[in-house]
Amino acid sequence: MLEVGDSNLTYWETCGNPRGKAAVVIHGGPGSGCTQWHRRLFDPLAYRIALFDQRNCGRSMPHASAPDTDLASNTTANLIADLERLRQHLRVERWLVLGGSWGSTLALAYAERYPNRVSEIILFGVTTGRRKEFDWSFRGGLADLFPEQWQRLRDAVPAALRHDDIVEAYCRLLNDPDPSIREPAALAWCTWESATPAWPPAEGLSPRYRDPAFRMAFARIVTHYVHHYAWLEDNSLLRDAHVLADIPGIMVNGRFDLQAPIGWAYDLKRVWPRAKLVIVDNAGHDASNASITAELVRATDEFAYLDFS
């Protein structure tokens, strides 16, 4: 556990070769936490791999599943600071940064803040923190492709809140002191999240959300970030991508990724020419798709001995 301020303890671990090339994994969500799958993206003989659970999720404390856990300090700026604090704690000079989905936004934000600390970047399910991206997933864009599932999400909101922005409504429900209000809201939100990673849409709840504590923390953190548009100035990560000019990168995106359409990765490539874009034809947003995994392993292998020390 690493003390990161504001009474937060961030879980971290390292694996692989203690003398290997340093890499850090930035998980998605926000609120998903790291998994064993993330470790398997790296050759353990070549890399020293750092994984961490972002504030209030996974094994970090306090956990967002507890209704009295205040998320006020859980912001993008503080997550960037947590990453840099972890780098210093591990005495790493520079590291490869790998992030997917929300993790790609956070990876970009960190790299643009600390470009001299980043040796390479690997992104998948690419997002860039623009308002239109948050709105696409959570304010009706995807509703045109998943109308039945979207309607169920809306129907789970009490009538008194249906005039509100749907994200604002769920923020209120998920922070209600009454568990009989909080828990159905978390279930409804995560059922929506379960439907959209692949086509055709999945019915019911994805196995990853079956743990009530996980889905409560996930739903609270996601809606917290979406409500605030991740505290990012609109289009700022694309605008400032010129600072990545000397950093090599690989982006991996499923052609049928509906949560992060490949056009978003193209927009980033236009302002970051040194990045290579790999499109996986038979994949959506589900990163555990075997073809996505294979391309990510290929990417880490490609960078394994660049700038190696």
Side-chain angles (χ1 to χ4, degrees):
M1 290 293 194
L2 182 67
E3 293 187 11
V4 294
D6 308 304
S7 301
N8 279 277
L9 294 173
T10 294
Y11 172 89
W12 64 272
E13 65 179 59
T14 58
C15 53
N17 182 352
R19 296 187 177 183
K21 180 186 182 79
V24 63
V25 174
I26 306 179
H27 66 69
S32 293
C34 276
T35 68
Q36 294 180 359
W37 175 81
H38 291 101
R39 301 178 193 149
R40 298 174 184 145
L41 302 177
F42 298 87
D43 179 349
L45 296 179
Y47 282 97
R48 180 191 183 197
I49 310 133
L51 301 92
F52 74 106
D53 292 334
Q54 294 161 31
R55 292 191 182 205
N56 309 125
C57 73
R59 292 145 289 188
S60 293
M61 299 173 64
H63 200 260
S65 60
D68 58 350
T69 296
D70 186 358
L71 300 183
S73 70
N74 195 331
T75 65
T76 301
N78 281 340
L79 294 186
I80 293 170
D82 295 350
L83 255 167
E84 183 61 7
R85 188 176 283 110
L86 178 61
R87 183 195 64 78
Q88 294 169 356
H89 178 73
L90 297 177
R91 298 181 180 179
V92 168
E93 185 67 22
R94 299 169 75 228
W95 52 7
L96 179 151
V97 176
L98 182 148
S101 194
W102 152 253
S104 58
T105 291
L106 183 55
L108 289 169
Y110 173 79
E112 291 181 10
R113 175 68 178 82
Y114 295 104
N116 294 333
R117 300 303 183 188
V118 177
S119 56
E120 301 91 14
I121 302 171
I122 298 173
L123 306 177
F124 59 96
V126 179
T127 64
T128 66
R130 290 175 291 182
R131 293 195 169 198
K132 75 173 188 178
E133 297 174 11
F134 289 109
D135 289 346
W136 168 257
S137 291
F138 303 112
R139 290 188 173 91
L142 271 176
D144 288 339
L145 298 174
F146 301 89
E148 298 160 282
Q149 293 83 0
W150 180 255
Q151 190 60 49
R152 291 189 200 113
L153 183 69
R154 295 192 61 83
D155 288 346
V157 176
L161 297 179
R162 287 182 189 165
H163 63 282
D164 292 350
D165 170 81
I166 194 166
V167 177
E168 171 66 21
Y170 271 92
C171 280
R172 293 175 63 178
L173 295 171
L174 291 162
N175 288 282
D176 195 285
D178 185 347
S180 70
I181 294 175
R182 283 196 317 274
E183 292 168 8
L187 181 61
W189 186 270
C190 291
T191 301
W192 165 249
E193 293 264 13
S194 299
T196 58
W199 192 266
E203 289 298 325
L205 193 67
S206 169
R208 73 192 297 245
Y209 299 116
R210 287 177 185 166
D211 175 35
F214 177 90
R215 68 174 177 255
M216 178 62 68
F218 180 88
R220 284 191 71 202
I221 295 171
V222 169
T223 53
H224 174 64
Y225 270 77
V226 177
H227 174 64
H228 292 282
Y229 286 110
W231 300 270
L232 292 169
E233 182 185 347
D234 194 22
N235 211 50
S236 60
L237 296 182
L238 292 182
R239 180 197 66 205
D240 297 337
H242 59 88
V243 305
L244 308 177
D246 294 329
I247 302 175
I250 297 175
M251 297 184 285
V252 177
N253 227 88
R255 184 170 296 281
F256 300 105
D257 189 333
L258 302 179
Q259 289 189 358
I262 56 174
W264 301 353
Y266 265 100
D267 290 342
L268 178 57
K269 180 167 175 50
R270 288 188 189 101
V271 292
W272 183 25
R274 195 162 181 189
K276 177 171 67 174
L277 176 57
V278 178
I279 299 173
V280 181
D281 283 331
N282 63 341
H285 194 70
D286 183 5
S288 63
N289 174 284
S291 298
I292 295 281
T293 299
E295 290 298 342
L296 292 173
V297 170
R298 189 172 289 113
T300 59
D301 284 349
E302 182 172 329
F303 288 144
Y305 297 101
L306 289 183
D307 193 32
F308 184 76
S309 60

